[in-house]
Amino acid sequence: MRARSTTVATWWLSLLLMLLPLSAWAAHAPHSKPEVRVGIVLFDGVQIIDFAGPYEVFGTAGFGVTTVSADGKPVKTAMGLTVTPDTSFADAPAFDVLLVPGGDVDAAQKNAAVLDFIRARSVPSRYVLSVCTGAFILGATGLLDGLKATTFRPAIEGLATEFPKIDVISDVRWADNGKFITAAGLSSGIDAALHVVEKVRGEQSARATALHLEYDWQREHGFVRSKMADRYFPKQFSTVVAWPKDIKFEGLISVGDARQWRIRYRVTTATSAKALSELIDAGVIKAGGWTREPASSGLRWRGEQEGHRIVMALGTYPSDVAGSYEIEMTIAADDAIVPNAAASASSAKPAVP
């Protein structure tokens, strides 16, 4: 009986392995002459998820993936992990898809070897995909001029400033111009890579890949970080508030959704909580667009953005660390929609006979 049970179990295991896609248990595909070839550019400071997430997607989809660096020598990622590329720029094979990840890109976007390689290999590639701040590297090549592009949320304004010829957008998880595709931050690279799989193999193949990865791929309505409510906080905080020179911040909490957000810091400074609140209040008023309102404790302001009434508040709290205290800022969008002034004035005018 035991022998028969073992035989049945072995048969079921064999059937399961037959049903799995070959790519699911292939250790490494770059050397198997795959139908679709992907090249991933690596450099010192590269962000792990920016290249590893898409690598997993493309490998699971059965694409051949090759990692390349300028000299083929190991690179150190932004988090300290050492990665050994498959090959150097000089010995890299031809690619159908070229991936430019992000991370600490300051050096890479000024590296002539990196930029020249991307320019040259973009010509024969069917698709060129950047992830996160990889858009800065791709932007430095000039290949995004006149196209739509997105990037990591905190870097969106910087991308627009540094590359004024690029149409920088912030309300998407990825921007597709046909050949050139840019993903937003970090995990967005997984979604954009699945989008490339869809472009190459079709929607069902992309969905099958996502399911095998146990990834909830939202093809059209996925999470967009830049749509979260912290976008309503005044962008000029760093410049309009006269921060004490000795102040040090330790981030404790930054959470929320599209309607509300909460940020909490531990603050170390000789300036009292009351005095710091006054400095922040002066900065908010200086930023413009905010009106201080009465509050039972702390500070409270009201403003209008994107057609919504916005309420922002500041509170200060004791800390369990000696010589410090905590401050918390919250922001929320009211349900009430503010009518567009021009539209309201226009609608109030009598019709012209």
Side-chain angles (χ1 to χ4, degrees):
M1 187 68 167
R2 181 185 296 269
R4 185 177 176 212
S5 297
T6 302
T7 301
V8 171
T10 302
W11 181 82
W12 275 109
L13 177 60
S14 299
L15 177 61
L16 177 62
L17 289 173
M18 290 173 63
L19 291 174
L20 283 172
L22 291 177
S23 58
W25 37 278
H28 196 273
H31 312 297
S32 60
K33 295 183 179 179
E35 179 184 349
V36 181
R37 300 157 298 178
V38 178
I40 298 180
V41 179
L42 298 183
F43 49 87
D44 286 328
V46 68
Q47 193 73 33
I48 297 170
I49 194 173
D50 287 6
F51 72 85
Y55 191 123
E56 193 76 24
V57 170
F58 291 134
T60 301
F63 294 6
V65 186
T66 300
T67 53
V68 299
S69 69
D71 54 11
K73 295 179 180 179
V75 301
K76 183 166 286 189
T77 70
M79 300 187 76
L81 175 70
T82 298
V83 179
T84 302
D86 292 311
T87 189
S88 65
F89 287 172
D91 297 325
F95 302 124
D96 301 291
V97 179
L98 183 64
L99 175 71
V100 183
D104 296 334
V105 299
D106 287 349
Q109 74 176 85
K110 298 172 185 175
N111 188 316
V114 172
L115 301 183
D116 289 345
F117 178 79
I118 293 172
R119 290 190 190 100
R121 293 310 187 94
S122 292
V123 175
S125 295
R126 294 170 61 185
Y127 301 107
V128 179
L129 168 63
S130 73
V131 178
C132 197
T133 51
F136 283 78
I137 301 176
L138 202 52
T141 66
L143 295 171
L144 291 179
D145 289 357
L147 303 179
K148 293 183 182 297
T150 193
T151 187
F152 184 41
R153 179 190 170 273
I156 286 175
E157 290 186 10
L159 184 67
T161 300
E162 190 166 346
F163 303 103
K165 294 182 180 179
I166 299 175
D167 181 9
V168 179
I169 55 179
S170 62
D171 59 347
V172 296
R173 196 142 169 85
W174 68 82
D176 184 351
N177 297 278
K179 178 172 182 172
F180 292 96
I181 304 165
T182 56
L186 304 162
S187 66
S188 300
I190 297 174
D191 297 77
L194 286 164
H195 178 62
V196 171
V197 172
E198 179 183 19
K199 288 167 75 79
V200 175
R201 292 269 179 81
E203 180 183 349
Q204 295 307 309
S205 178
R207 291 199 180 281
T209 299
L211 286 169
H212 182 77
L213 294 173
E214 299 191 20
Y215 185 72
D216 182 19
W217 184 44
Q218 301 297 321
R219 182 168 173 263
E220 297 178 351
H221 305 290
F223 172 81
V224 178
R225 178 63 182 84
S226 58
K227 290 185 177 180
M228 298 296 102
D230 59 337
R231 71 186 188 275
Y232 296 128
F233 283 117
K235 296 179 177 59
Q236 311 96 320
F237 258 141
S238 61
T239 56
V240 297
V241 177
W243 301 107
K245 292 183 179 180
D246 68 336
I247 197 165
K248 293 181 181 179
F249 292 96
E250 179 186 351
L252 301 176
I253 297 172
S254 183
V255 293
D257 52 33
R259 302 294 298 171
Q260 54 80 36
W261 203 269
R262 174 188 176 208
I263 301 178
R264 194 176 185 109
Y265 294 97
R266 180 179 292 118
V267 177
T268 304
T269 178
T271 304
S272 70
K274 182 176 184 299
L276 183 63
S277 296
E278 291 173 351
L279 291 175
I280 293 174
D281 179 43
V284 170
I285 301 303
K286 183 179 178 181
W290 296 94
T291 302
R292 186 170 55 248
E293 292 191 336
S296 57
S297 63
L299 291 167
R300 177 185 171 97
W301 305 268
R302 182 174 289 277
E304 295 179 3
Q305 291 186 48
E306 301 174 12
H308 295 279
R309 292 191 174 95
I310 309 297
V311 176
M312 182 169 64
L314 169 70
T316 61
Y317 308 89
S319 170
D320 55 2
V321 176
S324 68
Y325 53 88
E326 297 179 7
I327 64 171
E328 180 169 302
M329 295 205 70
T330 59
I331 199 160
D334 283 353
D335 290 332
I337 302 298
V338 181
N340 179 280
S344 298
S346 175
S347 61
K349 294 179 181 179
V352 179

